Amino acid sequence: MKAKQDWFKRKGYLHITPKLDPKENGRLRKFITTPAYISRHAFFPLMFRSLSFRRYKKIADENGDHYRSHVDGDGKSTRKKRPIHYATHVDAAIYSYYAEQLSKQYEQLLSQEAALSCCIAAYRRIPIGDGTERCKSNIDFAKEVFDEIKQRGNCVAMAFDIESFFSNLDHDLLKQAWQCVLNIERLPADHFNVFRSVTKFSYIRYDDLRAGQTKRSGLDERRLAKLRQKGIEAFFENAAEFRQAVREGSIRVFKNQRHDEAEPGKRKVRGIPQGLPISAVLANIYLLEFDKALLEEVVKKRGGFYCRYSDDIVVVCSENEYKAVKSFVESQIQQSLLSISASKTEVSVFRHVSEKLVVHQVAQNGSLRQNVPFTYLGFDFYGDKALIKSANLAKFYRRMLQGVKKAHQRRLKVQEKQRLFELPPFFLKRLLKQFSPAGSNPGKAIVQRTVWRKNEFGVFSPVQKDAYRKRHGNFFTYAHKAANTMQQEGIKHQMRGWRSILFSAIRRVSNLQ
């Protein structure tokens, strides 16, 4: 039996074209792995959605005291929006295949120098080395950085964040990096067509597919149900219907509009879409020369430590060299035609005080603020302990409160629909599965799934089928894993208040009636 290729994965989302048909696996594999076909392939527009995240930042008042707020000092919201683009199912499979080809070549380059491979953490499968198939996660990478600081003792740790990383990648440098990884002077026709599709991409907005084309209106479920009855799981019955919608103006197609004033009088398009299967490996190969430069200057020449997790960069060095190292990082990222976000740059000084490693944060004016943790990959490090980042913990409890409110809304709908005199009880089992240790055990569950099958008369009808659904656990799964990996019992103590917060929220919404 032929082994399943890692790149060929089916996606569950709806798009312009239907999902992949299992009966067409062989034909699709042959099409995707034939360069002559891909060089002539016309990629469909991407689907664009904007994910919004509410963030609380530390704001200084007139007295210099800090407090957390979801608006900055100018009264502007700190809500973060992340643009996500995803391709049609066939196009996504093509991107997955070429991402795998680039990853193999990229890993071969890194294998030539073990020190360089250790510096690059994100978007790679790095075995944890305990005899299992488990690979390292952000928890393991954060632990490595914290262990490095503990081992050095008196040192300076700096965390940098590249501003709008994916949206600012220069296309010329990306093409050069692509050619360098393949060790060729010019991209083949198939690779060039893929390159062009991720740089000169077009997209449609998910919100334009809503019934009323407003944020609060949902999708046209009746129309989608009719398509499913025909065996089509997509927004459009075929490509011709999509093109007709574009001609009529009901669906607008946008092009990449990210520009940069590269030269006077000339606008240069920049950026690649975030969310494609190939975006991650392209981000890594783009910074290959940057990684090499920091390895030579920071690690080999100055005896420091360097690690990059996507656009999150961490450097550890001695206190008397941190200014020179900081300046070098900023200059090298400018050579990559990117910029460091000054507001997200953290500089922390670690010193031994009474045989205890204590952290001091370097403020903008150069003063030291004691006991302000060094934050990296979702964890706060105090020198003697590591905890889950307070903002992430607060985000979990906000989701818990929102879940309780939604559960209460479901109760009201059930009461109205069934015309009950009293409210039905809370769907407590669902809440506990999401927001308590009861739902922290991942595994598989048997569920009933409806599939549409065609009979001998060519008519599709629904059929109930047993299927396995993977349970992914919840935030407690992550917290327990972090506590065990980092050997920090304090992380488990952070989660102790879930019961009182959950049931207080339930009582509060119940008393509103």
Side-chain angles (χ1 to χ4, degrees):
M1 183 177 178
K2 186 176 180 181
K4 182 181 178 181
Q5 300 184 41
D6 292 336
W7 57 268
F8 196 81
K9 297 179 180 179
R10 296 184 183 87
K11 309 294 184 179
Y13 55 77
L14 294 180
H15 213 288
I16 298 172
T17 59
K19 300 177 183 179
L20 300 183
D21 187 353
K23 298 178 181 179
E24 297 290 328
N25 282 0
R27 187 184 67 85
L28 286 173
R29 290 178 189 273
K30 183 178 179 181
F31 167 77
I32 294 172
T33 56
T34 304
Y37 293 151
I38 302 304
S39 62
R40 301 190 301 268
H41 178 68
F43 288 84
F44 274 90
L46 307 175
M47 188 78 69
F48 168 78
R49 297 189 72 173
S50 181
L51 303 182
S52 181
F53 303 92
R54 189 179 185 183
R55 298 187 301 169
Y56 283 82
K57 285 189 174 182
K58 292 183 179 179
I59 308 297
D61 58 15
E62 298 178 353
N63 300 324
D65 297 327
H66 287 75
Y67 63 95
R68 292 188 178 274
S69 175
H70 58 86
V71 294
D72 58 19
D74 298 329
K76 297 181 180 180
S77 174
T78 59
R79 185 179 295 273
K80 180 180 180 181
K81 293 185 178 181
R82 178 173 295 174
I84 299 295
H85 300 80
Y86 48 102
T88 62
H89 298 276
V90 173
D91 291 350
I94 295 173
Y95 289 132
S96 296
Y97 174 72
Y98 279 85
E100 184 179 83
Q101 304 309 306
L102 285 174
S103 295
K104 289 179 180 178
Q105 298 293 329
Y106 180 69
E107 291 296 333
Q108 287 183 5
L109 285 176
L110 297 184
S111 65
Q112 298 174 6
E113 189 167 4
L116 179 61
S117 180
C118 294
C119 295
I120 306 164
Y123 312 132
R124 300 175 60 203
R125 293 185 59 85
I126 304 176
I128 200 167
D130 58 353
T132 65
E133 296 182 356
R134 191 169 73 90
C135 294
K136 293 182 179 180
S137 64
N138 69 304
I139 300 174
D140 302 288
F141 297 126
K143 182 179 183 300
E144 291 177 357
V145 172
F146 300 157
D147 289 344
E148 180 71 22
I149 296 174
K150 290 179 182 178
Q151 183 180 355
R152 290 174 178 263
N154 296 331
C155 62
V156 174
M158 292 176 285
F160 305 89
D161 182 85
I162 301 176
E163 190 169 1
S164 302
F165 183 34
F166 287 90
S167 301
N168 282 320
L169 297 187
D170 182 81
H171 294 169
D172 293 335
L173 292 184
L174 177 61
K175 186 179 179 181
Q176 294 174 15
W178 200 318
Q179 294 169 166
C180 177
V181 170
L182 296 180
N183 195 23
I184 54 178
E185 295 182 357
R186 185 176 181 179
L187 290 180
D190 57 324
H191 279 265
F192 180 75
N193 194 26
V194 176
F195 164 77
R196 184 170 54 186
S197 71
V198 298
T199 52
K200 297 182 179 181
F201 62 92
S202 60
Y203 61 91
I204 64 174
R205 291 175 175 172
Y206 176 83
D207 288 342
D208 290 346
L209 298 171
R210 297 177 183 271
Q213 294 190 4
T214 62
K215 290 185 177 181
R216 293 188 177 275
S217 59
L219 300 174
D220 190 349
E221 296 295 342
R222 291 184 179 180
R223 182 175 180 278
L224 294 178
K226 291 180 180 179
L227 291 177
R228 283 195 295 269
Q229 291 177 1
K230 298 180 181 180
I232 301 172
E233 291 188 271
F235 288 113
F236 299 92
E237 186 170 353
N238 48 48
E241 185 184 7
F242 167 71
R243 289 191 290 268
Q244 179 66 22
V246 173
R247 286 194 296 268
E248 294 175 352
S250 58
I251 298 294
R252 292 184 60 188
V253 178
F254 301 86
K255 293 184 178 180
N256 180 20
Q257 298 293 325
R258 184 79 179 190
H259 289 89
D260 179 43
E261 296 293 342
E263 299 177 7
K266 182 179 179 181
R267 302 183 73 190
K268 188 176 181 180
V269 181
R270 302 171 64 88
I272 65 173
Q274 186 174 355
L276 301 184
I278 201 173
S279 299
V281 65
L282 293 183
N284 269 346
I285 67 175
Y286 183 89
L287 290 178
L288 181 59
E289 294 302 320
F290 172 82
D291 295 328
K292 291 179 179 178
L294 262 68
L295 174 66
E296 293 296 326
E297 178 69 18
V298 176
V299 179
K300 294 183 177 180
K301 183 178 178 180
R302 299 181 182 272
F305 173 86
Y306 162 65
C307 182
R308 180 178 62 83
Y309 191 94
S310 186
D311 57 345
D312 291 322
I313 300 169
V314 63
V315 176
V316 184
C317 62
S318 60
E319 189 171 348
N320 60 344
E321 286 191 335
Y322 92 86
K323 291 185 178 179
V325 171
K326 182 174 181 291
S327 177
F328 180 80
V329 173
E330 293 171 347
S331 65
Q332 287 299 312
I333 206 66
Q334 288 178 0
Q335 292 188 20
S336 300
L337 301 183
L338 297 169
S339 59
I340 296 293
S341 177
S343 61
K344 296 181 181 179
T345 300
E346 289 188 38
V347 180
S348 297
V349 179
F350 290 88
R351 294 171 180 169
H352 278 294
V353 179
S354 301
E355 299 183 354
K356 179 182 177 182
L357 191 61
V358 179
V359 60
H360 302 76
Q361 187 184 75
V362 180
Q364 295 290 338
N365 57 6
S367 61
L368 297 181
R369 298 172 55 206
Q370 189 173 351
N371 207 34
V372 177
F374 176 71
T375 303
Y376 184 62
L377 297 184
F379 293 93
D380 290 336
F381 183 57
Y382 292 84
D384 60 335
K385 64 180 179 180
L387 299 173
I388 293 178
K389 185 179 176 181
S390 57
N392 292 353
L393 196 63
K395 182 179 179 180
F396 165 70
Y397 285 120
R398 284 199 302 271
R399 289 203 308 266
M400 177 188 289
L401 299 180
Q402 292 170 0
V404 172
K405 292 179 181 178
K406 289 181 180 179
H408 182 62
Q409 293 297 324
R410 286 195 294 268
R411 298 171 68 203
L412 296 176
K413 289 182 179 179
V414 170
Q415 182 188 30
E416 180 182 359
K417 185 176 181 180
Q418 300 183 4
R419 298 180 179 180
L420 301 176
F421 290 103
E422 296 182 356
L423 276 173
F426 260 98
F427 301 100
L428 189 58
K429 185 177 179 180
R430 182 181 298 181
L431 290 174
L432 292 176
K433 183 179 178 180
Q434 290 180 297
F435 306 111
S436 79
S440 63
N441 295 325
K444 291 184 178 179
I446 299 178
V447 296
Q448 289 288 323
R449 181 169 295 175
T450 302
V451 296
W452 292 84
R453 290 181 178 174
K454 185 189 297 185
N455 58 22
E456 63 272 17
F457 302 105
V459 179
F460 285 90
S461 59
V463 178
Q464 295 295 323
K465 178 183 177 182
D466 289 341
Y468 287 97
R469 184 178 65 185
K470 185 177 180 180
R471 294 198 302 262
H472 296 281
N474 54 22
F475 192 75
F476 284 89
T477 310
Y478 175 78
H480 292 163
K481 180 181 177 181
N484 296 332
T485 300
M486 294 189 172
Q487 298 179 354
Q488 296 287 335
E489 288 296 319
I491 294 178
K492 294 181 179 180
H493 293 165
Q494 287 182 283
M495 309 299 297
R496 289 181 300 179
W498 71 268
R499 188 184 301 275
S500 61
I501 296 176
L502 176 61
F503 286 96
S504 295
I506 291 175
R507 288 192 296 269
R508 186 161 57 250
V509 298
S510 299
N511 293 334
L512 293 178
Q513 289 299 115

